[in-house]
């Protein structure tokens, strides 16, 4: 041991301390709030050519919900009092609000993973774009599954993760419920604002990273 070595040891020690702190920081949940929130909504767009989502049965299966749970958030979908729940028609080009819990996943981000049972010919792209109406992407589904995407076995359970938001205290405390809203071709901030009856400026502040021409945005929603 010479004096010359001491500074090196010191540097080594400092680097070690720094690494441990970084590791501790990473291990902490970075979700805000830490455990997510009990309720978020997904905006499920029923396309013109969607033959399955013509009533709520298909949507309730995809999201593992009972039909009355969906109806609660969609007063516009009217039920004929004499007919069974599964015959509630969903007109094409309608956005259905689907409730779900917004969890902190991998201690890293807010989302919810739905189990989708693959059928012959399914691909991640089809699952994301068609069955889950762009509430997720091919890439994001691919990252949550350990399967070979070109060869999905029939009947296998696929993780389909939909991102969500519980708000942001730095932006406003007035909103606590958020809609995960996939922007459709041709929509922009003005259309999203009009569709949801929320001022454009409010939506913009919650989605500073979005260019409002594609992808997901989070729109403040009213409760029940
Ligand atoms: C149908 O809806 C009613 C209330 O609207 C509910 O009580 C009943 O459980 C529902 N049935 C099914 C099978 O979801
Ligand atoms: C509801 O949609 C499903 C397909 O998702 C279909 O099999 C069923 O016949 C439909 N029910 C009615 C009453 O139209
Ligand atoms: C999802 O996005 C793709 C690509 O923009 C589009 O072709 C498709 O119609 C969208 N799906 C729904 C249900 O809107
Ligand atoms: C969901 O959130 C994660 C983490 O922020 C992000 O990497 C991913 O691209 C998002 N997925 C979608 C479909 O927006
Ligand atoms: C779905 O996610 C769970 C938890 O992360 C994982 O254990 C499982 O292997 C995933 N499923 C597939 C098909 O990769
Ligand atoms: C907007 O952002 C999306 C990603 O969310 C990107 O794919 C697209 O190219 C962007 N569009 C423009 C016009 O910048």
């Amino acid at each position: 041991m010479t004096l010359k070595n001491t500074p090196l040891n010191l540097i080594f020690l400092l680097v070690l301390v720094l690494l441990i702190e970084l590791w501790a920081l990473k291990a902490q949940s970075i979700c805000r709030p830490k455990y997510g929130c009990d309720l978020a909504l997904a905006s499920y767009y029923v396309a013109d050519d969607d033959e399955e989502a013509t009533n709520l049965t298909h949507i309730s299966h995809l999201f593992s919900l009972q039909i009355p749970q969906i109806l609660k958030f969609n007063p516009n979908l009217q039920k004929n009092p004499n007919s069974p729940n599964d015959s509630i028609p969903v007109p094409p080009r309608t956005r259905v609000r689907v409730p779900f819990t917004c969890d902190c996943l991998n201690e890293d981000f807010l989302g919810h993973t739905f189990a989708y049972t693959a059928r012959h010919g399914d691909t991640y792209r089809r699952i994301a774009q068609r069955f889950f109406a762009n509430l997720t992407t091919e890439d994001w589904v691919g990252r949550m599954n350990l399967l070979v995407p070109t060869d999905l076995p029939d009947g296998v359970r696929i993780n389909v993760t939909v991102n969500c938001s519980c708000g942001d205290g730095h932006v406003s405390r007035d909103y606590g419920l958020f809609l995960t809203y996939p922007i459709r071709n041709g929509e922009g901030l003005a259309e999203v604002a009009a569709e949801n009856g929320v001022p454009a400026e409010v939506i913009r502040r919650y989605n500073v990273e979005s260019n409002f021409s594609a992808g997901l945005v989070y729109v403040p929603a009213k409760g029940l």
Side-chain angles (χ1 to χ4, degrees), residues 211-216:
N211 60 23
F212 293 100
S213 65
L216 297 175

Side-chain angles (χ1 to χ4, degrees), residues 51-55 57-58 86-87:
E51 285 135 23
E52 291 185 293
T54 52
N55 65 55
T57 307
H58 178 63
D86 73 352
S87 62

Side-chain angles (χ1 to χ4, degrees), residues 69-218:
Q69 292 175 290
I70 301 177
L71 280 177
K72 232 161 91 175
F73 294 91
N74 297 275
N76 55 318
L77 296 178
Q78 276 319 316
K79 177 173 189 270
N80 177 340
N82 302 319
S83 59
N85 291 342
D86 73 352
S87 62
I88 296 158
V90 180
R93 297 184 298 276
T94 302
R95 280 181 180 268
V96 177
R97 292 186 167 203
V98 180
F100 64 103
T101 57
C102 184
D103 310 314
C104 179
L105 298 177
N106 304 333
E107 301 196 319
D108 188 26
F109 63 91
L110 294 176
H112 188 98
T113 299
F114 299 93
Y116 171 82
T117 306
R119 286 175 297 184
H120 183 72
D122 282 350
T123 59
Y124 289 160
R125 178 193 292 258
R126 198 169 150 77
I127 292 169
Q129 296 192 349
R130 187 175 177 90
F131 302 135
F132 282 85
N134 295 315
L135 284 160
T136 185
T137 57
E138 174 181 13
D139 174 61
W140 198 224
V141 175
R143 283 208 264 159
M144 296 299 161
N145 293 282
L146 311 162
L147 303 164
V148 180
T150 49
D151 185 24
L152 301 181
D154 237 349
V156 77
R157 309 262 283 176
I158 309 281
N159 294 320
V160 178
T161 302
V162 174
N163 289 358
C164 49
S165 168
C166 301
D168 181 347
H170 295 299
V171 174
S172 167
R173 295 198 177 277
D174 293 345
Y175 303 100
L177 177 61
F178 285 78
L179 180 68
T180 298
Y181 188 101
I183 296 189
R184 285 180 45 73
N185 284 342
E187 280 186 322
L189 177 56
E191 286 75 18
V192 178
E195 167 92 21
N196 293 289
V198 177
E201 179 53 24
V202 173
I203 299 175
R204 203 189 51 74
R205 280 195 288 148
Y206 278 108
N207 298 278
V208 288
E209 315 247 291
S210 175
N211 60 23
F212 293 100
S213 65
L216 297 175
V217 290
Y218 303 107

Side-chain angles (χ1 to χ4, degrees), residues 8-67:
L8 261 185
N9 282 341
L10 204 67
I11 287 168
F12 178 74
L13 201 75
L14 278 175
V15 167
L16 198 73
V17 167
L18 205 77
L19 283 177
I20 290 173
E21 283 195 347
L22 273 178
W23 173 81
L25 212 71
K26 202 176 176 307
Q28 262 173 27
S29 167
I30 57 168
C31 295
R32 293 282 173 274
K34 200 168 172 184
Y35 303 108
C37 47
D38 290 341
L39 183 63
L41 297 171
S43 178
Y44 187 99
Y45 183 83
V46 178
D48 266 344
D49 60 347
D50 193 330
E51 285 135 23
E52 291 185 293
T54 52
N55 65 55
L56 283 178
T57 307
H58 178 63
I59 300 176
S60 72
H61 289 164
L62 282 176
F63 295 93
S64 308
L65 290 167
Q66 299 288 318
I67 286 168

